[in-house]
Amino acid sequence: MTALIHPTSIVDPAAKLGDNVEVGPFCTVGPSVELGDRTKLVSHVTLDGHTKIGADCLLYPQVSMGYPPQDFKHKGKAKIGIEIGDRCTFREMVNIHPGTDVGKPVTRIGTDCYFMVGSHIAHECQVGHHVTLSNYAQVGGNVTIGDYVTLGGVCAVHQHTRIGHYAFIAGMALVTNDVIPYGLVMGNAAQLQGLNIVGLKRRGFDRSQIHRMRAAYRQLFAYEGTLAERIEDATRLYADEPLVMEIIAFIQAQSSGRNLTMPDMRR
């Protein structure tokens, strides 16, 4: 079936619209935009640039995607774009920027993500699957976000930061350093408060896994010794625990210029 386009909307003839796409009133869709099957633009949505959105996505009023990134180094001399997976929801006033011609050319968002009112993904970000951004969560440029991550309302993530799988960023947190997989951070600036236990239970991690991860966490972030020494000890003790080894690998592969979000060692 062909797309259903409201007569008040402007859709460039070159745009690629899948079957049963719905474009509501007062939308603008540029020539290089691609919309997957059954994706719906409720109203007042503006899409431009090389923006590719998967199937069964839902975009609410004032969503904007594909316009030039807010990076002064970008000169507009190369093809840049956005790629979004299936079944993503973008609530009112969500804004997504494409990549740049001086870094990663494509901003990517996985499947089954939910972006609440006013949240923002800046240029070059790489976002995993099942990620939730709460109201007005702001993500700086070139941030990497793993699967099943939740960002609380009005939090801010500094550019070039990594957030590991299943991590939880509390509301109004300021995140300026990398966050380990399964971690829970809060505060301004954010500090590591432990593991995201509630999230792990909700996602079906069993008690034995969580118990071993908590034991490894206490060892990795203990008072005694250096972090390198604690990593060496944990690697030896938990070599057969993939979740712990994922955290250790994440710590050892710190991104350029970024430190690790740590707990308050004074407690």
Side-chain angles (χ1 to χ4, degrees):
M1 296 179 62
T2 58
L4 179 63
I5 302 173
H6 193 277
T8 61
S9 287
I10 301 174
V11 178
D12 193 284
K16 298 179 181 179
L17 275 57
D19 291 338
N20 297 306
V21 165
E22 295 184 38
V23 180
F26 302 105
C27 296
T28 302
V29 179
S32 299
V33 173
E34 298 182 32
L35 301 178
D37 297 343
R38 299 172 300 280
T39 283
K40 180 177 180 179
L41 281 54
V42 175
S43 73
H44 298 82
V45 174
T46 55
L47 304 176
D48 201 17
H50 296 276
T51 298
K52 183 177 181 180
I53 301 175
D56 299 298
C57 292
L58 181 58
L59 285 68
Y60 281 84
Q62 309 302 330
V63 168
S64 175
M65 298 184 188
Y67 292 94
Q70 297 176 147
D71 186 338
F72 295 136
K73 299 185 298 298
H74 174 71
K75 303 302 181 185
K77 296 181 179 180
K79 179 180 176 180
I80 58 174
I82 298 170
E83 294 181 3
I84 297 171
D86 299 336
R87 300 177 301 280
C88 291
T89 297
F90 301 89
R91 294 304 305 253
E92 296 82 353
M93 297 183 291
V94 169
N95 178 263
I96 312 292
H97 282 176
T100 71
D101 55 11
V102 293
K104 299 182 180 71
V106 178
T107 297
R108 289 187 173 86
I109 296 172
T111 60
D112 299 290
C113 295
Y114 199 103
F115 292 76
M116 298 184 188
V117 172
S119 53
H120 170 65
I121 294 288
H123 57 85
E124 305 177 70
C125 288
Q126 308 294 303
V127 180
H129 308 295
H130 299 275
V131 171
T132 300
L133 268 66
S134 300
N135 290 7
Y136 298 101
Q138 306 295 302
V139 179
N142 207 1
V143 168
T144 300
I145 300 177
D147 299 339
Y148 290 99
V149 169
T150 297
L151 273 62
V154 204
C155 73
V157 181
H158 194 276
Q159 62 187 9
H160 299 285
T161 301
R162 298 179 303 150
I163 300 178
H165 299 314
Y166 292 92
F168 185 95
I169 311 301
M172 301 187 72
L174 172 60
V175 181
T176 59
N177 295 310
D178 292 347
V179 179
I180 62 170
Y182 316 101
L184 166 66
V185 299
M186 58 193 304
N188 190 351
Q191 294 178 336
L192 191 64
Q193 302 293 320
L195 294 173
N196 181 18
I197 300 299
V198 173
L200 294 175
K201 290 179 178 178
R202 287 176 177 173
R203 298 298 181 183
F205 289 81
D206 62 46
R207 292 182 63 184
S208 62
Q209 287 178 304
I210 295 173
H211 176 77
R212 287 175 62 79
M213 289 175 67
R214 294 183 74 169
Y217 175 91
R218 287 192 292 269
Q219 180 169 8
L220 284 168
F221 298 104
Y223 297 110
E224 298 81 10
T226 66
L227 179 59
E229 290 170 339
R230 298 194 297 270
I231 288 174
E232 183 178 350
D233 291 340
T235 300
R236 183 177 63 256
L237 290 173
Y238 299 99
D240 60 343
E241 179 51 72
L243 300 181
V244 174
M245 295 308 297
E246 180 182 357
I247 294 174
I248 291 173
F250 183 94
I251 294 171
Q252 292 175 324
Q254 287 192 24
S255 56
S256 176
R258 310 251 36 94
N259 294 315
L260 191 68
T261 302
M262 298 286 285
D264 184 355
M265 302 304 289
R266 297 169 298 178
R267 295 185 301 166

